[in-house]
């Protein structure tokens, strides 16, 4: 309970204007963290293959956030960002996705804190079981669509990053 209050205060940042909060909590971390984890770390592990580089950089991304409660979700997000970087061949795709993810958290905390969805995400209230299935189907469909729209990198067959 106390942890959630601290997290909410960090995202809200009181009376600071929304654009400043988005700059501090979404845009800058999206660019800086992705530049380091995908631009430097993932490339450093490329010699071990594409998937080891993606997984190791994703795990380090999770650890880098220094939050045991968000370690697994951040690591999974890091693996997704690594795959996105590899798949598009551009650092800009994970930077944008990371910034959008953080911006959604800021906006959710700022404007939807009393909504039922925020109750589930922020306060850990019960989430209807069928929404997990719907969420999994939607995410799978979006990933499938993304895979169809973005051409694979030239070295996909070799499995190298």
């Amino acid at each position: 309970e106390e942890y959630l209050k601290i997290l909410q205060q960090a995202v809200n940042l009181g009376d600071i204007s929304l654009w400043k909060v988005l700059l501090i909590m979404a845009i800058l971390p999206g660019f800086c963290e992705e530049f380091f984890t995908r631009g430097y770390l993932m490339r450093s592990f490329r010699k071990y293959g594409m998937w080891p580089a993606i997984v190791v950089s994703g795990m380090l991304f999770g650890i880098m956030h220094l939050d045991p409660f968000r370690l697994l979700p951040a690591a999974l997000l890091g693996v997704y960002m690594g795959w996105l970087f590899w798949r598009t061949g551009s650092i800009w795709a994970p930077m944008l996705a990371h910034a959008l993810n953080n911006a959604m958290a800021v906006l959710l905390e700022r404007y939807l804190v009393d909504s039922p969805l925020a109750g589930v995400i922020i306060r850990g209230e019960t989430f209807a079981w069928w929404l997990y299935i719907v969420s999994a189907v939607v995410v799978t469909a979006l990933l499938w669509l993304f895979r169809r729209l973005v051409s694979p990198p030239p070295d996909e067959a070799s499995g190298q990053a």
Side-chain angles (χ1 to χ4, degrees):
E1 184 79 23
E2 186 66 29
Y3 171 77
L4 290 174
K5 288 179 184 176
I6 292 168
L7 192 58
Q8 286 173 333
Q9 289 171 347
V11 173
N12 195 353
L13 293 178
D15 294 330
I16 298 174
S17 68
L18 179 60
W19 75 268
K20 287 180 184 175
V21 174
L22 287 172
L23 178 67
I24 294 166
M25 300 295 291
I27 297 168
L28 289 177
F31 283 81
C32 296
E33 291 176 15
E34 290 306 315
F35 183 76
F36 177 68
T37 54
R38 257 45 77 190
Y40 176 71
L41 289 178
M42 190 170 151
R43 288 183 181 180
S44 297
F45 289 102
R46 242 189 346 203
K47 60 186 168 197
Y48 301 108
M50 174 205 46
W51 283 108
I54 289 172
V55 171
V56 169
S57 68
M59 295 305 294
L60 291 172
F61 178 79
I63 292 167
M64 184 176 79
H65 283 84
L66 302 173
D67 183 350
F69 295 104
R70 293 187 308 158
L71 175 65
L72 183 60
L76 292 173
L77 187 62
V79 168
Y80 168 70
M81 298 295 179
W83 176 81
L84 194 60
F85 174 53
W86 168 75
R87 182 70 184 185
T88 63
S90 172
I91 191 77
W92 293 104
M95 283 179 172
L96 178 62
H98 189 152
L100 287 173
N101 177 71
N102 290 9
M104 286 189 307
V106 167
L107 294 172
L108 180 66
E109 171 56 31
R110 271 268 169 126
Y111 298 110
L112 299 175
V113 72
D114 294 323
S115 73
L117 180 60
V120 171
I121 295 170
I122 296 171
R123 293 183 298 276
E125 295 172 1
T126 304
F127 201 59
W129 66 269
W130 58 271
L131 287 174
Y132 288 109
I133 296 170
V134 171
S135 298
V137 169
V138 169
V139 167
T140 302
L142 289 172
L143 287 173
W144 176 83
L145 179 63
F146 178 78
R147 187 172 172 88
R148 303 263 305 155
L149 293 175
V150 175
S151 60
D155 58 358
E156 182 172 352
S158 69
Q160 295 295 310

